[in-house]
Amino acid sequence: MTDLLYSDPDLVQFYDIENQGRTDLNYCIGLAKNGGSVLDLGCGTGQLAAELAAGHSVTGVDPASAMLDVARHRAGGHKVDWVEADARTVRLGRRFDLVLLTGHAFQVFLTGEDQSAVLRTIAEHLVPGGRFIFDTRNPAMKEWLEWTPQRSERMVAHPGLGTVKAWNDVEHDPATSVVTYSTFYEIPGGRQVLGAESKIAFPAKDDLAAMLDEAGLLVEQWLGDWQGEAYVDTSPEIIPIGRLR
């Protein structure tokens, strides 16, 4: 599951720039307002984990060392217990009041077997009465149609490199619901083009519901976006919130 977008420091430097103003961070901070311990699976560069560490005991787990290098050096990063591990197999030997898996990290797990393994990890790390939340894009909305070079081209303001042209390209496999997309950054002055190919899955809500039940997790609420709206068939997101059954 090595993906240069998350493992190559030259590409990781663009992650936070491209993910500013994430509404999932605000929602999860509100969800954790009653305190307690938090496990952030797929914590990436640690934006959410570091913010939560101001008032919680937080553990951040990610398989990409380049992402964790950024996480450790961000403001508040010293308060988080960072663990380099795979969400499918990690077992920390403790349970948490809240388990998070945001930033569409669930979608990097391409098969039902891998997705079920992640859900079992969530179940293994929840205290009785604890809550979980994660997000995945709604396949019915076909967001990947916007990831063509023409529709995705954008200018990224990098603090050291200046203005960088970025774009994506995409292929969708309807048989597996797996989308393969490429991300490119053209360094100013024609010096080089950085690129990476990534694969993500778009599981359907009914399939998620069955896997959650099998993992021993009870969904109390299905959200359709990070503003807190209830899920409907045309929602952009599928966001289950729940607890152990």
Side-chain angles (χ1 to χ4, degrees):
M1 292 184 66
T2 301
D3 186 327
L4 291 178
L5 199 61
Y6 310 121
S7 61
D8 184 341
D10 287 339
L11 290 163
V12 168
Q13 67 180 317
F14 291 99
Y15 184 85
D16 285 352
I17 300 171
E18 294 248 64
N19 289 276
Q20 297 182 44
R22 283 173 43 186
T23 53
D24 56 340
L25 271 67
N26 294 331
Y27 191 94
C28 291
I29 289 169
L31 193 65
K33 64 184 178 182
N34 293 327
S37 56
V38 179
L39 172 59
D40 187 357
L41 286 172
C43 64
T45 59
Q47 296 178 72
L48 177 56
E51 286 201 42
L52 286 171
H56 306 78
S57 169
V58 180
T59 298
V61 173
D62 201 275
S65 60
M67 301 287 269
L68 291 176
D69 285 343
V70 175
R72 291 187 181 97
H73 291 94
R74 71 166 55 253
H78 65 287
K79 298 180 180 179
V80 179
D81 181 19
W82 304 109
V83 178
E84 185 176 335
D86 190 314
R88 295 170 296 180
T89 56
V90 65
R91 295 294 184 269
L92 299 172
R94 58 173 296 204
R95 293 178 180 263
F96 298 80
D97 298 298
L98 178 63
V99 178
L100 311 166
L101 183 67
T102 59
H104 303 121
F106 186 77
Q107 291 184 251
V108 306
F109 302 102
L110 303 182
T111 67
E113 180 181 1
D114 284 344
Q115 292 157 8
S116 292
V118 174
L119 298 180
R120 288 194 296 271
T121 293
I122 292 174
E124 287 288 334
H125 290 89
L126 273 176
V127 300
R131 306 182 81 191
F132 71 86
I133 185 170
F134 67 89
D135 60 349
T136 181
R137 298 174 182 88
N138 184 0
M141 301 311 292
K142 300 181 179 180
E143 185 179 327
W144 61 83
L145 295 177
E146 300 299 316
W147 302 348
T148 63
Q150 296 79 12
R151 294 183 177 184
S152 65
E153 184 175 316
R154 58 203 179 274
M155 305 307 290
V156 177
H158 188 283
L161 298 172
T163 302
V164 176
K165 185 171 81 170
W167 68 94
N168 299 100
D169 205 351
V170 66
E171 292 181 4
H172 172 241
D173 183 350
T176 62
S177 295
V178 170
V179 166
T180 301
Y181 70 96
S182 298
T183 306
F184 300 98
Y185 297 100
E186 184 177 315
I187 306 303
R191 284 182 286 170
Q192 67 180 126
V193 175
L194 303 173
E197 182 179 276
S198 308
K199 293 181 182 289
I200 55 174
F202 282 74
K205 178 176 177 287
D206 289 348
D207 293 334
L208 281 175
M211 287 188 285
L212 284 157
D213 183 64
E214 185 180 355
L217 296 168
L218 175 67
V219 179
E220 298 176 312
Q221 190 177 9
W222 293 93
L223 300 183
D225 60 37
W226 284 109
Q227 284 72 44
E229 295 294 324
Y231 174 85
V232 296
D233 289 345
T234 56
S235 294
E237 306 276 351
I238 304 172
I239 307 171
I241 305 175
R243 57 179 172 82
L244 287 172
R245 183 163 20 87

